[in-house]
Amino acid sequence: MKKFKRMLRMHRIFVTQELKRMMEYKGDFIVGIIGFLLGQFFNLLFLWIIFSQIPNLMGWTLNQIVFIYGFSLIPKGLDHLLFDNLWSIGYFTVRKGDFDKYLTRPINTLFHVMVEKLQIDALGELIMGIALVCITLPSVGIEWSVLKVLLAIAVIPFATLIYTGIKTATAAIAFWTKRSGNVIYMFYMVNDFAKYPVTIYNNVLRSIITYIIPFAFTAFYPANYILTGENPLFNIGMTVLLSLVIMAIGIFVWNKGIKAYESAGS
């Protein structure tokens, strides 16, 4: 319990210091958020253009797809906001030898890397995601219950862990190769397919994003339960199970990588 309280206190200190640093450059902060909002706007415009020509897509209406799209941005935005510093491990921290500083401090290295920085521009994703969910709620005909509300809220941090676990494992490859940014990017970009109903894809792609790189559990399956109330054991239960398994794999690979790490740099 003491260790947990210490980690929370350290996290608060890191967040406070990072916010102070960011507030020195308010222009960058505002531009970053606007940039993400614009990016999502053009994605939605693309959807609107498609649905202006067809009434539905494999049985899915525009509002349902926008709901799934909006839901997908929430766990992705949380991971982006809180744990995006893992990208630096894959791209330059290990290669430049800067990872040594984490080994000299009395704090878990993975925890330190994760909480050292915030990506405040991720608020653009979160704002857009929450807004899209709220806007489409009245038109998608969801039958609410206390259980559904609780599960919808509870599944979000687990969906976030899928992103974080995959990013942790792929970033840790840099401990052996010195650079793994391209590997992180390759895996991470698969999440673009998870923003839409998996039923619109062929069986091969559907299997990949469900069972191999399971980003479908960050968006479609939880959102499908919220929309239909069907199969909570699979849609929600598998999201929870897979998130814990993937995060455990990420931590395992990270710890193995730490043992293999050799300082680098120019």
Side-chain angles (χ1 to χ4, degrees):
M1 191 64 182
K2 286 184 178 180
K3 186 176 181 180
F4 181 70
K5 288 182 177 178
R6 179 173 178 268
M7 291 176 72
L8 286 178
R9 186 171 65 253
M10 293 295 295
H11 184 259
R12 186 172 64 252
I13 292 170
F14 277 115
V15 169
T16 301
Q17 294 305 313
E18 183 67 6
L19 287 174
K20 288 179 180 177
R21 183 188 69 81
M22 288 181 172
M23 286 302 101
E24 293 181 4
Y25 305 96
K26 296 182 178 65
D28 289 347
F29 164 69
I30 294 171
V31 169
I33 291 179
I34 292 174
F36 271 96
L37 288 173
L38 286 174
Q40 304 309 324
F41 169 79
F42 285 114
N43 286 336
L44 291 171
L45 180 62
F46 173 72
L47 278 178
W48 180 82
I49 292 171
I50 291 176
F51 275 87
S52 67
Q53 305 299 318
I54 57 175
N56 64 71
L57 184 62
M58 299 288 288
W60 296 93
T61 67
L62 174 61
N63 286 332
Q64 288 174 324
I65 291 180
V66 171
F67 178 87
I68 296 169
Y69 186 95
F71 186 90
S72 76
L73 296 179
I74 298 174
K76 184 182 179 184
L78 286 172
D79 172 74
H80 185 190
L81 175 70
L82 298 173
F83 309 125
D84 213 52
N85 197 39
L86 285 165
W87 284 89
S88 67
I89 301 298
Y91 274 108
F92 56 83
T93 301
V94 172
R95 181 169 55 85
K96 291 184 176 180
D98 294 339
F99 188 79
D100 293 3
K101 70 176 183 180
Y102 298 107
L103 297 173
T104 62
R105 296 173 181 174
I107 184 173
N108 179 273
T109 54
L110 180 56
F111 175 77
H112 191 179
V113 170
M114 285 181 169
V115 303
E116 186 177 34
K117 292 184 179 180
L118 287 176
Q119 286 290 358
I120 298 295
D121 53 7
L123 290 176
E125 279 178 301
L126 286 171
I127 292 169
M128 179 64 81
I130 294 170
L132 292 177
V133 167
C134 292
I135 290 169
T136 54
L137 271 178
S139 59
V140 291
I142 296 174
E143 295 182 7
W144 289 107
S145 66
V146 174
L147 177 62
K148 183 177 283 189
V149 171
L150 292 176
L151 289 178
I153 296 172
V155 78
I156 291 173
F158 291 102
T160 302
L161 277 183
I162 293 176
Y163 280 102
T164 309
I166 290 173
K167 199 156 57 178
T168 300
T170 50
I173 294 172
F175 294 130
W176 288 278
T177 63
K178 304 307 179 188
R179 181 184 173 96
S180 65
N182 292 335
V183 178
I184 305 173
Y185 183 82
M186 179 181 68
F187 275 80
Y188 205 72
M189 289 303 102
V190 175
N191 83 89
D192 283 342
F193 293 104
K195 295 176 181 177
Y196 310 101
V198 299
T199 54
I200 69 175
Y201 303 124
N202 62 42
N203 290 333
V204 173
L205 183 54
R206 190 185 310 174
S207 297
I208 290 172
I209 62 176
T210 298
Y211 301 111
I212 300 176
I213 311 175
F215 280 122
F217 287 96
T218 67
F220 172 71
Y221 289 115
N224 187 46
Y225 166 71
I226 297 170
L227 288 169
T228 66
E230 296 176 355
N231 205 351
L233 188 61
F234 179 79
N235 289 327
I236 302 298
M238 280 296 288
T239 301
V240 173
L241 177 62
L242 282 172
S243 69
L244 296 177
V245 169
I246 290 170
M247 195 66 222
I249 292 172
I251 293 172
F252 175 79
V253 176
W254 180 276
N255 289 335
K256 284 291 185 181
I258 291 291
K259 294 178 182 178
Y261 170 71
E262 296 178 350
S263 184
S266 55

